[in-house]
Amino acid sequence: MRIPMIAGNWKMNTTVGEAVTLVRSMLSGLEKMNGVDRVVCPPFISLAAVKDLLKGSSVKLGAQNIFYEEKGAYTGEISPLMLAELCEYVIIGHSERRQYFGETGDMIDKKIKAALNVELKPILCIGEKLEENEQGKTQEVLTHQLTASSDRGYYVGGLVIAYEPVWAIGTGRSASGSEANETIGFIRQLVSHQHGSDIADNVRILYGGSVTAENIAEFIRQPEIDGALVGGASLKAEDFLSITKQTAEIRGLS
Ligand code: PEP
C-alpha cells in the first residue's frame, strides 16, 4: 500500500523566526496524523531551526532545491552533503526552477542522482504549461520530462513524483480531481512501461497546483493520487492541518 503524503512547499516565504512560529503552530496537530507522511519544506536558511523543532517528531523535513556537486567553488549553492545532515526529502525540478532559473532535464537528472547518493529522497516535479495543455501535448511533455530522469534505481531509492500542471501553480485554478487522476494514471503507466509494474505500483505520485483545504478531498478520493504538494496553503497552519486531516480521514487512516 502506498502511504499518502502531504508536502508543504513554502517557496521563498518566511524568515527564520516566522518559520519557527509556523511549525510551532502546526506541530501538535500534525503529530496526530500518523498514517500520512507529512513533510514541510521551508527555505534553506530555516532548515536547521526547523530540524531542531522536529526532533523526536514524525513530521519530516524537506528542502526546495539542491546543487549536484559535492563541494567547491559554486558560490551561493547548497550541496547534497549539507542537506543530508538536515533533511529526508528534497524537491527537484519545480516548474519555478525550470522557468526562472533555467533548469534543464539534464541538470534535474544530475540533482536526483546527487540527492540519492546521500540518501535524500527526491520529490521530482513534472507538469505541462498552459499552451502545451491547450495543444493536447500534456502526455508528450510528461513523457519527455520523466524520461529525462528515469532509472529504476531512483524509484528504489524512494523517488516521489509530483504532477504539477504549470497553469495550476499559484493561480487558484486547480485541475479537476478526475483530470488529475487521469494524468497521474498515465504517469504511472509510463513508469510501468519503463520499469515494470512492481515499481509503478509502489511509486507515490502527488498532485500539486492550487490545492486548498476546500478542494483536497476531490483529489484524495481519486485512486491514482497519493497525496499533494501544497504551496500557498501550506503557509497557513489551519489549512495545512485540515488538508492533512482530510487526507487521513478519506484514506481511512484516522
Ligand atoms: C507548488 O509550489 O508546488 C504549488 C503547487 O503551489 P500552489 O499550491 O500555491 O499552487
Side-chain angles (χ1 to χ4, degrees), residues 170-237:
T171 59
R173 179 187 163 194
S174 64
S176 71
S178 58
E179 266 177 311
N181 189 61
E182 197 181 310
T183 308
I184 288 178
F186 167 78
I187 296 169
R188 203 178 295 286
Q189 264 181 4
L190 202 59
V191 175
S192 180
H193 283 311
Q194 291 176 336
H195 304 294
S197 59
D198 55 330
I199 295 283
D201 290 345
N202 284 306
V203 61
R204 289 185 288 185
I205 311 182
L206 317 180
Y207 167 75
S210 297
V211 168
T212 62
E214 286 69 45
N215 66 17
I216 183 69
E218 183 183 343
F219 298 106
I220 295 301
R221 286 200 189 99
Q222 305 288 339
E224 293 289 353
I225 303 180
D226 300 318
L229 181 56
V230 185
S234 70
L235 291 165
K236 296 176 211 134

Side-chain angles (χ1 to χ4, degrees), residues 9 11 94 96 164 168-171 208-211 229-232:
N9 173 16
K11 312 196 190 198
H94 192 282
E96 287 154 12
E164 299 210 304
I169 297 179
T171 59
S210 297
V211 168
L229 181 56
V230 185

